[in-house]
Each structure stands twice: as structure tokens, then as C-alpha cells.
Amino acid sequence: MRVATAALNRKAGFLHRAAQRAALLPMLLIGVAFYALCLLVAEVSIPRLWEGLPRLVTWIARSWPPDLSELDVLIRRGLETIAMATIGVSFGAVIAAPICLLAARNVGASPILSFPARWLLNALRGIDSFVFALIFVAAVGLGPFAGVLGIALHTAGSIAKLWAEAIETTDMGPVEAARMSGAGRLKVFVHVQLPDALPQLSSILLYMWEFNVRASTVLGVVGAGGIGQELKNSVDLLLFDRVLTILVIILVMVTLIDQLSALLRRRLS
């Protein structure tokens, strides 16, 4: 009897697994069809890549040795990029602070305010700093200030979302105890939730600074200043030896910022 029951159980298990695999087949086919459509829409062409490789090799050969004649100018542009990211992130943090308090569910904000706050931060995150910078170039003119404003708005949405999630993960035990003692929402946040979340909030801010130093290297393409503008000009003029110098400066700059940010985050954790 037990042998028959075990056999029936094995058969039932086999049929169940077979049914699961059969159910996955349509999803797999849909996924393959979607990927094939993406390849078609993206105009992926291996022959075109193969034809373009000789030109790429020629450009790489022309980039050596690097052009160091304007090294001081390029380093100054690199520092401009770091300044854009630093000021942009600081402005973004100021904008993000009130939004994240409204968006965090455990702070106690009214749903009438929290839902619009979440929609706002999603809108800010959804529009890239590149697009914001393009708009501000038209509004305030060429130069790094447009890049600062573009970084600030996009970063505000990202920081606000990450800060709100960090605040929501704080231990609610001390929060409830403080509320039962009669403390108001502001006092509870300042004296209980903020000290608990502060290391994580600081780590997020440093990460966003690191990220925006990398991202802002291309804002010069739309005229928003920084070393990206020199990169675009050099590519347009086919000055590949100068392009190599710029790429090396970007690599060194980003590596140093990454290492500094990682060191500071480890100290805060």
C-alpha cells in the first residue's frame, strides 16, 4: 500500500512539474519574440559593426601619443565637472529633504501630501539630468550653471526616494515609545528616526555625489560645461590624441572620486 502511494505521489509530482514547464513555454516564446523585436527596432547589425572596425582601429592608432599641449585647460575642465556634480548634489539634497519626509510612510504625513510627493520624485527621477541640462541651457545659456541645475533636479528625485526608503526601514519600537510619551511627529523624527537613519542617509548622499561626477562628464555634449564639452569638441574635430588625454583625465578623476566616496561610506557604516 505504501509503495503504491509513493508511486502515485511521484507520478503526481512529475505531472505537476511537467505542467509548470508547459506553462513556462508560452512566456519563453513571448520573451524570445520580444527580444527579436528589440533587435530589429535597435537596428543591430553585425556586418555594419565589422565594416566599422577598421575605422575604429585607425582612430585608436591616431590617438597615440596623447596630446598634452592643453593639459592645464583640460584639468581645469575636469575640476569644473567635479564642481558641477558637488553643487548639483547639494542643491538636490536640499530639494529632496522635504519631499522625502512627505514620501516616507512611517513619518506620518497625510496621504493628501504623500501621494503628490511620490509622484513628484518619480517625475524628477524619470527625467534624466541630461534632459534637464538641455532645457536649462536654453533657459540660462551655455555653461556649467545649466549642468548644476540639471543635476540638482534629477538627483533630488533619486535622493528623496532612497532617503524615504531608508527612513521607512528605521526601528519602529523607539518611535512608538516616543509617540506614546506624547512627543509630536517632528520631535519623534528629529530625536529618534533621524539619528537611526543618518548613517544610511549620508551614505546615499555620498553615492549620489560619486554617481553624478561620472554622469556629469557627458553633460558638456549639450553645452552644460565641464570636461564633456571638451570631449565633444575634440570628437567633432577628429582630434583623437586630445580625446585620449580627456579620457585618461576622466578615468583618473572618476577613480579617485569612487575611492574617496567608498572610503567615506565605510567610515559611516
Side-chain angles (χ1 to χ4, degrees):
M1 185 68 179
R2 290 181 179 177
V3 174
T5 303
L8 288 174
N9 288 338
R10 285 196 298 271
K11 184 176 181 181
F14 174 78
L15 292 175
H16 178 68
R17 289 191 295 273
Q20 285 183 324
R21 287 193 291 268
L24 287 174
L25 182 60
M27 296 177 61
L28 179 62
L29 293 176
I30 292 173
V32 170
F34 174 73
Y35 191 78
L37 179 62
C38 289
L39 288 173
L40 180 63
V41 172
E43 299 181 2
V44 176
S45 172
I46 301 300
R48 284 171 57 191
L49 174 62
W50 186 256
E51 290 174 6
L53 284 178
R55 288 195 297 272
L56 182 61
V57 172
T58 302
W59 293 342
I60 292 174
R62 288 172 57 186
S63 69
W64 188 265
D67 180 10
L68 304 178
S69 60
E70 295 183 299
L71 186 60
D72 57 334
V73 174
L74 298 179
I75 290 176
R76 187 167 65 249
R77 286 291 199 174
L79 295 175
E80 186 178 278
T81 297
I82 295 175
M84 286 166 51
T86 303
I87 302 301
V89 169
S90 65
F91 285 2
V94 171
I95 299 170
I99 301 176
C100 79
L101 295 182
L102 295 175
R105 296 183 179 91
N106 60 344
V107 173
S110 169
I112 298 176
L113 297 175
S114 63
F115 282 117
R118 287 181 172 272
W119 276 102
L120 175 60
L121 66 90
N122 285 336
L124 293 175
R125 286 191 314 119
I127 302 174
D128 193 78
S129 56
F130 189 89
V131 178
F132 276 128
L134 181 62
I135 294 171
F136 281 116
V137 163
V140 302
L142 299 172
F145 184 46
V148 167
L149 295 175
I151 292 170
L153 286 187
H154 174 71
T155 303
S158 300
I159 292 177
K161 178 176 174 59
L162 294 173
W163 276 1
E165 292 176 351
I167 293 170
E168 288 176 350
T169 61
T170 55
D171 186 4
M172 291 303 294
V175 173
E176 295 299 333
R179 287 176 179 171
M180 290 177 64
S181 68
R185 291 176 181 173
L186 181 60
K187 283 189 175 181
V188 170
F189 175 75
V190 171
H191 296 288
V192 181
Q193 289 177 288
L194 183 58
D196 187 16
L198 192 58
Q200 194 171 354
L201 301 184
S202 303
S203 179
I204 290 168
L205 188 62
L206 285 169
Y207 172 76
M208 293 307 302
W209 176 59
E210 168 194 325
F211 171 81
N212 278 288
V213 169
R214 294 195 303 267
S216 59
T217 57
V218 298
L219 292 183
V221 173
V222 296
I227 199 167
Q229 194 160 345
E230 296 293 336
L231 179 61
K232 180 182 183 301
N233 293 340
S234 299
V235 171
D236 289 345
L237 296 173
L238 303 181
L239 302 174
F240 297 109
D241 50 353
R242 196 167 187 264
V243 169
L244 178 59
T245 304
I246 294 171
L247 292 179
V248 170
I249 291 174
I250 291 174
L251 179 61
V252 171
M253 180 178 68
V254 169
T255 301
L256 291 176
I257 293 295
D258 286 354
Q259 293 297 321
L260 176 61
S261 177
L263 175 63
L264 293 174
R265 290 203 306 272
R266 284 197 297 271
R267 294 290 180 87
L268 290 169
S269 61

